[in-house]
């Protein structure tokens, strides 16, 4: 069943890329494996997926010990400062940085192990009170502040669009984040790259790709409903 789901997701990604005149190679699929058992992750891994996203530090720590070392782990959930040290060494990308204090702690822990850590700035595109992420009009200032931290590399932006049954409703949010990334890139800030746009989930990843997403985070579409 998982192999069939993955095949459908892959076909959808290719269709969305064609619609946008983009290459399939421009989009990375991250399998959102939160709450899923290692056996299911192994099945996805055996289908060729190497990027997995988790919401909780504890799950990354537990699963990475039981799975192959070539997996790229993505921290996509809210990250508490006191837990940064547990994932700093092995996480390929932290998607959810939305405060200077969190960035500062990541930098402190990164210096201890002499690692440059890639991060994304999380933007609350729709201004939803229930979601983490920084307001759109505060992104540039935060980006400039974090850019001064030696052991971090800002690689782009991430957003979680509102839940909706009609993905077209989220197109304006994805478009807005892409425009924001272009505007920031144009400022040529040292230590800031805007090559990654992490946006789009199971319900709207095709729309996100059409609007410029370079990473889509798909859970239910691969693993099935929780």
């Amino acid at each position: 069943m998982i192999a069939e789901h993955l095949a459908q997701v892959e076909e959808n990604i290719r269709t969305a890329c064609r619609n946008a005149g983009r290459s399939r190679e421009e989009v990375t699929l991250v399998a959102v494996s939160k709450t899923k058992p290692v056996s299911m992750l192994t099945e996805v891994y055996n289908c060729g997926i190497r990027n997995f996203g988790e919401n909780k530090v504890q799950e990354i720590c537990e699963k990475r010990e039981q799975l192959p070392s070539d997996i790229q782990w993505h921290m996509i959930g809210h990250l508490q400062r006191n837990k940064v040290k547990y994932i700093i060494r092995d996480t390929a990308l932290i998607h959810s940085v939305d405060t200077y204090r969190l960035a500062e702690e990541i930098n402190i822990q990164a210096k201890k192990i002499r690692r440059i850590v890639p991060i994304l700035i999380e933007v609350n595109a729709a201004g939803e009170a229930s979601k983490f992420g920084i307001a759109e009009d505060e992104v540039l200032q935060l980006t400039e502040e974090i850019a001064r931290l030696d052991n971090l590399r800002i690689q782009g932006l991430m957003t979680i669009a509102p839940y909706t049954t009609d993905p077209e409703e989220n197109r304006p949010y994805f478009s807005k984040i892409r425009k924001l990334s272009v505007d920031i890139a144009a400022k040529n800030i040292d230590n800031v790259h805007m090559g990654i746009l992490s946006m789009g989930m199971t319900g709207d990843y095709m729309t996100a790709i059409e609007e410029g997403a370079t990473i889509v985070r798909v859970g239910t579409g691969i693993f099935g409903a929780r």
Side-chain angles (χ1 to χ4, degrees), residues 9 15 37 45 53 55 60 76 87 114 139 158 174 182 211 223:
V9 170
T15 298
Y45 178 91
N55 274 39
I60 289 180
I76 61 175
I87 62 162
R114 298 178 181 174
V139 174
M158 179 269 233
F174 297 142
V182 170
E211 292 299 329
F223 291 96

Side-chain angles (χ1 to χ4, degrees), residues 157-194:
L157 305 177
M158 179 269 233
T159 196
I160 301 174
Y163 173 78
T164 176
T165 55
D166 179 6
E168 282 301 313
E169 293 180 3
N170 284 337
R171 190 179 293 277
Y173 300 122
F174 297 142
S175 176
K176 181 166 62 174
I177 296 301
R178 182 177 185 278
K179 183 179 184 304
L180 182 60
S181 76
V182 170
D183 291 345
I184 293 173
K187 295 189 178 295
N188 293 314
I189 305 165
D190 286 346
N191 199 24
V192 174
H193 307 277
M194 283 287 138

Side-chain angles (χ1 to χ4, degrees), residues 19-57:
N19 291 346
R22 302 176 64 194
S23 164
R24 170 64 184 89
E25 285 63 44
E26 293 178 38
V27 180
T28 297
L29 171 61
V30 172
V32 177
S33 46
K34 61 182 182 181
T35 76
K36 297 303 180 184
V38 167
S39 59
M40 292 184 80
L41 274 71
T42 299
E43 198 173 339
V44 173
Y45 178 91
N46 290 338
C47 290
I49 299 298
R50 294 294 178 269
N51 289 277
F52 289 83
E54 291 287 345
N55 274 39
K56 295 185 177 176
V57 168

Side-chain angles (χ1 to χ4, degrees), residues 1-13 29-34 36 40 43-44 47 49 163 200-206 216-226:
M1 187 66 76
I2 280 179
E4 293 171 12
H5 289 167
L6 266 172
Q8 184 62 60
V9 170
E10 176 61 31
E11 183 179 331
N12 290 345
I13 291 174
L29 171 61
V30 172
V32 177
S33 46
K34 61 182 182 181
K36 297 303 180 184
M40 292 184 80
E43 198 173 339
V44 173
C47 290
I49 299 298
Y163 173 78
M201 295 161 60
T202 292
D204 55 19
Y205 64 90
M206 293 182 71
V216 291
R217 311 177 306 270
V218 180
T220 303
I222 295 172
F223 291 96
R226 292 183 178 83

Side-chain angles (χ1 to χ4, degrees), residues 111-174:
K111 279 189 173 180
K112 290 180 182 178
I113 63 169
R114 298 178 181 174
R115 184 187 173 206
I116 305 296
V117 176
I119 67 165
L120 305 179
I121 305 296
E122 181 176 359
V123 187
N124 190 336
E128 293 179 281
S130 61
K131 287 198 173 91
F132 291 101
I134 189 167
E136 179 189 1
D137 59 0
E138 298 174 353
V139 174
L140 177 58
Q141 181 181 341
L142 180 63
T143 299
E144 291 174 332
E145 291 170 355
I146 293 175
R148 302 185 190 111
L149 298 171
D150 294 339
N151 284 64
L152 299 189
R153 292 291 180 271
I154 299 173
Q155 301 287 3
L157 305 177
M158 179 269 233
T159 196
I160 301 174
Y163 173 78
T164 176
T165 55
D166 179 6
E168 282 301 313
E169 293 180 3
N170 284 337
R171 190 179 293 277
Y173 300 122
F174 297 142

